[in-house]
């Protein structure tokens, strides 16, 4: 009952705003005159409230502009941030919102704040940074706004991952669904894509990295592309679809069949070797199985496999919905990958 009430409250908060998503302005990330237009906003817990960081891209020979503020609420923290520095600071067109790994409990407040600002685009991207302190990337010579612009381009091109927008995150929370949020690693070389944070009921329940991150994207059905290798041969792979089917033992939901379709091209003028396709099919299926096991262990269907199974057989949708929550963690998976491999 508590979960249902929470879902209703979130729906009342977010769903009317989602109808206005197409009216949001296109996000921008640049400084105009003496106004610093913030492209990246970071949020982390602080004593008695929240701390926010903000970054605008560097211009010409000038260093990147960094700002920070703190307050009991996100709105208060942003107000303090906006009053800092010599330039006028505008947070009206933030392209990326970064949550520290300790800020899972602040996601609802972040979304509420963003959706109540009519100038904030609902297509801004949401990320989780695998560090408890965002000062690592909002200090010194770091240029988080410039680096996030690079990641935005990679996500737009679907280079191994597809970004999550504020609109998509709000929709998931309104429905009470788990959510896979792209995660970032912070190293001495800067910021890079580092897999996914699995968000469930106010916390990050698990992290999917390495092959599990690839598997998670494929379970979601994201049309990503990446390059793999077999021996000395590089093969470019493209996801073209995901099919999900519920498996039954009489009237009881017992298993889940997931099939992923890929297209591959051998690069560099090489011809494919014997067994290349079978090797890649097994390797990719293993990645998907690793991701699914993580989701089952945390009882969090972050890939909306229930929706996929229901669409596959709408006549069984009611039965699937009624049994899914109790059965998901123990469903027996059958994962297959089918690759169409083209020669150069």
């Amino acid at each position: 009952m508590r979960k249902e009430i929470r879902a209703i409250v979130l729906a009342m908060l977010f769903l009317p705003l989602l109808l206005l998503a197409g009216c949001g302005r296109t996000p921008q990330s640049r400084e105009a005159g003496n106004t610093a237009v913030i492209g990246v906003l970071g949020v982390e817990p602080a004593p008695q409230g929240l701390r926010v960081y903000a970054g605008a891209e560097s211009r010409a020979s000038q260093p990147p502009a960094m700002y920070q503020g703190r307050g009991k609420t996100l709105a208060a923290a942003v107000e303090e941030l906006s009053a800092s520095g010599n330039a006028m600071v505008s947070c009206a067109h933030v392209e990326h919102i970064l949550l520290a790994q300790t800020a899972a409990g602040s996601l609802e407040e972040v979304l509420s704040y963003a959706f109540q600002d009519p100038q904030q685009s609902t297509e801004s991207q949401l990320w989780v940074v695998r560090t408890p302190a965002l000062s690592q990337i909002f200090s010194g010579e770091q240029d988080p706004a410039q680096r996030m612009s690079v990641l935005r381009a990679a996500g737009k091109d679907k280079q191994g991952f597809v970004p999550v927008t504020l609109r998509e995150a709000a929709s998931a929370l309104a429905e009470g669904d788990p959510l896979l949020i792209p995660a970032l690693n912070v190293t001495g070389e800067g910021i890079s894509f580092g897999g996914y944070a699995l968000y469930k009921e106010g916390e990050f329940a698990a992290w999917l990295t390495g092959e599990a991150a690839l598997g998670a994207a494929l379970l979601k059905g994201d049309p990503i592309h990446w390059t793999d290798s077999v021996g000395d041969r590089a093969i470019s792979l493209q996801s073209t679809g995901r099919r999900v089917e519920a498996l039954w033992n009489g009237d009881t939901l017992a298993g889940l069949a997931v099939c992923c379709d890929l297209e591959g091209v051998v690069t560099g003028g090489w011809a494919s070797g014997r067994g290349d396709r079978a090797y890649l099919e097994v390797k990719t299926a293993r990645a998907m199985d690793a991701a699914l096991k993580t989701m089952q262990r945390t009882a969090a269907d972050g890939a909306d496999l229930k929706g996929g199974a229901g669409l596959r057989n709408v006549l069984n949708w009611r039965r699937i919905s009624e049994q899914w929550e109790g059965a998901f963690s123990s469903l027996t998976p059958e994962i297959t990958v089918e690759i169409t491999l083209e020669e150069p």
Side-chain angles (χ1 to χ4, degrees):
M1 176 64 70
R2 181 181 179 185
K3 182 177 179 182
E4 292 176 356
I5 294 174
R6 180 172 173 272
I8 292 171
V9 171
L10 286 169
M12 292 174 65
L13 175 62
F14 292 129
L15 291 182
L17 295 167
L18 291 176
L19 298 176
L20 302 176
C23 301
R25 298 184 185 180
T26 302
Q28 304 172 36
S29 179
R30 59 179 181 272
E31 291 188 32
N34 199 38
T35 299
V37 181
I38 299 304
V40 181
L41 196 68
V43 181
E44 69 182 22
Q48 299 181 345
L50 294 172
R51 179 181 289 107
V52 295
Y53 296 88
E57 287 189 40
S58 58
R59 295 188 302 165
S61 59
Q62 297 180 358
M66 304 288 185
Y67 307 90
Q68 65 172 288
R70 191 172 69 178
K72 291 185 178 181
T73 65
L74 181 57
V78 171
E79 183 177 355
E80 179 180 294
L81 177 150
S82 301
S84 65
N86 296 322
M88 181 179 295
V89 178
S90 171
C91 297
H93 302 285
V94 174
E95 292 181 321
H96 306 275
I97 295 181
L98 280 52
L99 298 178
Q101 66 182 26
T102 53
S106 303
L107 178 56
E108 291 181 12
E109 183 176 354
V110 168
L111 291 173
S112 177
Y113 172 82
F115 272 76
Q116 290 180 47
D117 184 344
Q119 297 186 77
Q120 173 63 53
S121 172
T122 60
E123 298 306 303
S124 296
Q125 296 176 2
L126 181 66
W127 306 80
V128 179
V129 185
R130 297 207 66 179
T131 176
L134 294 179
S135 57
Q136 284 185 269
I137 57 176
F138 287 94
S139 61
E141 298 300 318
Q142 295 279 1
D143 191 346
Q146 191 278 332
R147 180 54 188 159
M148 293 307 299
S149 293
V150 174
L151 285 170
R152 184 182 185 89
K156 184 177 181 180
D157 193 40
K158 300 177 176 59
Q159 296 178 20
F161 69 96
V162 174
V164 169
T165 66
L166 299 182
R167 172 179 52 80
E168 292 166 334
S171 178
L173 264 66
E175 295 292 333
D177 293 334
L179 177 67
L180 285 170
I181 306 174
L184 300 172
N185 288 331
V186 182
T187 65
E189 299 178 354
I191 310 168
S192 60
F193 173 70
Y196 294 92
L198 181 55
Y199 176 89
K200 178 188 176 185
E201 297 179 351
E203 65 179 13
F204 298 130
W207 300 90
L208 293 94
T209 61
E211 67 171 13
L214 172 64
L218 296 175
L219 286 174
K220 287 172 61 184
D222 289 343
I224 61 171
H225 65 88
W226 74 102
T227 300
D228 209 325
S229 61
V230 181
D232 56 3
R233 296 176 298 282
I235 299 178
S236 177
L237 295 169
Q238 167 77 47
S239 171
T240 58
R242 172 209 71 172
R243 302 188 300 278
V244 184
E245 184 175 355
L247 303 178
W248 301 89
N249 181 6
D251 292 330
T252 302
L253 183 60
L256 201 63
V258 183
C259 181
C260 178
D261 296 321
L262 304 177
E263 293 180 353
V265 178
V266 183
T267 63
W270 294 90
S272 62
R274 180 178 298 177
D276 284 3
R277 183 176 67 179
Y279 170 81
L280 289 172
E281 288 176 342
V282 171
K283 182 179 180 180
T284 307
R286 186 174 64 237
M288 296 174 66
D289 184 66
L292 180 54
K293 279 184 168 56
T294 298
M295 294 181 199
Q296 289 184 301
R297 186 173 63 251
T298 55
D301 177 16
D304 191 25
L305 296 170
K306 180 179 76 171
L311 289 174
R312 183 74 174 176
N313 190 341
V314 294
L315 295 180
N316 279 325
W317 173 247
R318 183 175 179 178
R319 283 203 300 162
I320 292 172
S321 296
E322 290 174 346
Q323 298 184 38
W324 189 264
E325 186 171 353
F328 175 67
S329 293
S330 59
L331 293 178
T332 301
E334 295 182 7
I335 298 176
T336 57
V337 176
E338 298 178 356
I339 299 178
T340 302
L341 197 57
E342 298 180 8
E343 300 294 339

